[in-house]
Amino acid sequence: MEAKHKRTVSRREKNRTLTIGGVTVSPGERTSVDIPLAAMYTHTDVELTVHVVNGRRPGPCLFVCAAIHGDELNGVDIIRRLLDYKQLSQLRGTLLAIPVVNVHGFLSQSRYLPDGRDLNRSFPGSERGSLAGRVASTFVRDILKHCTHGIDLHTGARHRSNLPQIRADLSQEETRRLAMQFGVPVVLDAKLRDGSLRETAADMGIPLLLYEAGEALRFDELCIRAGARGILNVMRELEMLPARKRPAKVPEAVVADDSRWVRAPLSGVMRSRVQLGARVKKGDVLGLIADPLGFKDAEVLAPDEAIVIGMTNLPLVHEGEALYHLASFKRQTGQVASELQGFHERFSAQEDEQPFFVGWDDSLEN
Ligand SMILES: [Zn+2]
């Protein structure tokens, strides 16, 4: 009787009431909160908008944020789709979704803030610091301090695409578990960078995954689908969402041993010979560089067996420029290549199935 009684009590246990940016959000309530940031010099207000979904029942508090670099857009649409997901009505715990963190950079379509600083090198920031430092400090004070877990969404820089990948500090057990469950085949054990959100989260004991996919200032449907799906996978792993009735096969993730950039051996105009996700062997030609009237090509060669996880899309290159980001997996390269093939087929084969993403519900999907 005792045990039964206990279970009944825990079932009725209510989630906490959350106060964020001065707004109180009760269990079972869903709202958005605008937190003031530095106004523009045109006298126009600028606000950090946080969507709060506070579940009825207790559980982890997860933040999902995008556009810390103001020109990285895939994450903005990933969050829009996430917030449209029907099963959020059954959420346990709390979801804080911030589609645009660097609002100033987003307005100017720039990675940086108007003061030229990189927000992701300005954490934890300070209320009396630079513009970037103040935005960082607001984020820590009003969002991070509530959270138990986080997912930070990024893309490659301008003219550079990244294969969908998770970067995380895999020495932390919980972070590693979530990284492997996200559902992308490539995982990088990434060192913490000074001043990054990831570093501040780590200092606060918050496991954080960084999802990197696609290119700045562009939408990429596959990257967006895989990102939205990945967040749901993590939320299920954290038991914030009910388990799927028919468990889906999550692509097996493999941790890269190492990754390095191959740089341009000389300046010129490059024709690429490989695509993102390609498996290359030592000595394979990645690209050919010539001057515009040149008849002689210089070859850009793969230094080792690897998977191409990032590359430039701009054919105009200077000597020393980073062209191809290669990840090595030693004996597992073949496995990664085949996981990537399945991954690509899964997320690109739904061209006519947009309805899944309008008030979507994945119980119908495989
Ligand atoms: Zn970024």
Side-chain angles (χ1 to χ4, degrees):
M1 280 308 282
E2 187 64 32
K4 200 175 175 185
H5 176 67
K6 262 188 196 159
R7 211 177 64 200
T8 317
V9 170
S10 78
R11 238 189 231 168
R12 284 187 189 161
E13 203 182 329
K14 265 197 167 177
N15 197 5
R16 63 185 172 149
T17 295
L18 190 77
T19 302
I20 181 163
V23 175
T24 300
V25 191
S26 307
E29 205 184 328
R30 188 177 167 152
T31 188
S32 64
V33 179
D34 295 328
I35 301 165
L37 297 173
M40 288 197 281
Y41 44 64
T42 52
H43 195 73
T44 310
D45 287 339
V46 175
E47 284 146 347
L48 181 70
T49 300
V50 186
H51 296 271
V52 184
V53 186
N54 204 17
R56 281 197 177 79
R57 289 176 296 164
C61 180
L62 172 73
F63 78 84
V64 181
C65 70
I68 274 192
H69 294 131
D71 60 354
E72 300 184 358
L73 308 181
N74 280 335
V76 178
D77 206 51
I78 289 173
I79 290 178
R80 183 186 65 77
R81 294 182 193 196
L82 175 67
L83 289 169
D84 208 19
Y85 187 60
K86 279 183 182 166
Q87 282 191 332
L88 285 185
S89 59
Q90 298 171 49
L91 182 76
R92 276 177 174 269
T94 309
L95 173 67
L96 302 181
I98 309 95
V100 182
V101 180
N102 178 359
V103 185
H104 300 87
F106 191 70
L107 278 164
S108 54
Q109 301 175 13
S110 162
R111 175 184 178 90
Y112 305 103
L113 279 136
D115 65 0
R117 285 176 204 255
D118 185 330
L119 181 55
N120 212 22
R121 303 286 178 272
S122 305
F123 281 89
S126 112
E127 277 175 33
R128 293 168 171 231
S130 66
L131 172 57
R134 289 175 193 221
V135 175
S137 152
T138 300
F139 192 90
V140 173
R141 184 195 63 209
D142 287 333
I143 292 158
L144 216 49
K145 76 162 194 210
H146 295 292
C147 294
T148 58
H149 297 79
I151 301 176
D152 184 16
L153 306 171
H154 287 256
T155 76
R158 285 181 184 213
H159 307 305
R160 272 173 216 285
S161 293
N162 281 332
L163 186 76
Q165 58 197 263
I166 288 291
R167 297 182 186 176
D169 177 9
L170 303 181
S171 64
Q172 304 300 315
E173 199 182 318
E174 172 94 336
T175 311
R176 186 183 186 94
R177 179 171 69 92
L178 299 176
M180 303 310 273
Q181 284 303 317
F182 191 90
V184 294
V186 173
V187 174
L188 299 189
D189 188 2
K191 286 198 189 78
L192 297 170
R193 290 214 182 168
D194 282 351
S196 65
L197 170 61
R198 213 152 60 81
E199 185 190 56
T200 296
D203 289 344
M204 295 167 73
I206 300 169
L208 189 142
L209 304 184
L210 194 148
Y211 176 65
E212 273 279 358
E215 180 184 357
L217 295 174
R218 299 281 181 270
F219 273 165
D220 181 301
E221 185 62 22
L222 183 142
C223 294
I224 292 169
R225 283 180 180 167
R229 169 74 54 217
I231 295 166
L232 296 177
N233 288 340
V234 169
M235 291 175 77
R236 289 206 180 88
E237 184 66 20
L238 292 170
E239 297 182 0
M240 295 177 76
L241 292 175
R244 300 176 71 144
K245 285 181 192 120
R246 283 183 300 154
K249 188 185 174 292
V250 173
E252 195 153 336
V254 183
V255 180
D257 292 302
D258 196 13
S259 77
R260 61 196 276 191
W261 278 93
V262 176
R263 296 180 178 277
L266 77 175
S267 302
V269 182
M270 185 174 77
R271 291 112 66 203
S272 226
R273 285 290 173 266
V274 292
Q275 291 185 325
L276 272 187
R279 177 186 187 178
V280 295
K281 293 195 286 297
K282 185 174 180 171
D284 279 359
V285 175
L286 302 172
L288 298 162
I289 302 178
D291 67 63
L293 301 172
F295 298 105
K296 201 164 184 297
D297 291 320
E299 293 177 331
V300 181
L301 302 176
D304 260 315
E305 183 175 47
I307 300 285
V308 180
I309 62 165
M311 62 185 282
T312 183
N313 296 322
L314 188 69
L316 311 176
V317 302
H318 282 123
E319 180 186 326
E321 212 168 299
L323 304 179
Y324 298 96
H325 193 195
L326 303 185
S328 66
F329 296 88
K330 292 191 181 146
R331 265 175 252 140
Q332 288 171 291
T333 314
Q335 187 197 333
V336 178
S338 84
E339 292 291 346
L340 278 171
Q341 198 179 347
F343 173 79
H344 198 271
E345 281 163 11
R346 172 155 194 232
F347 286 106
S348 54
Q350 307 172 17
E351 227 57 79
D352 299 313
E353 298 179 29
Q354 280 293 339
F356 280 125
F357 292 96
V358 182
W360 55 306
D361 175 349
D362 66 351
S363 59
L364 301 169
E365 288 182 70
N366 299 317

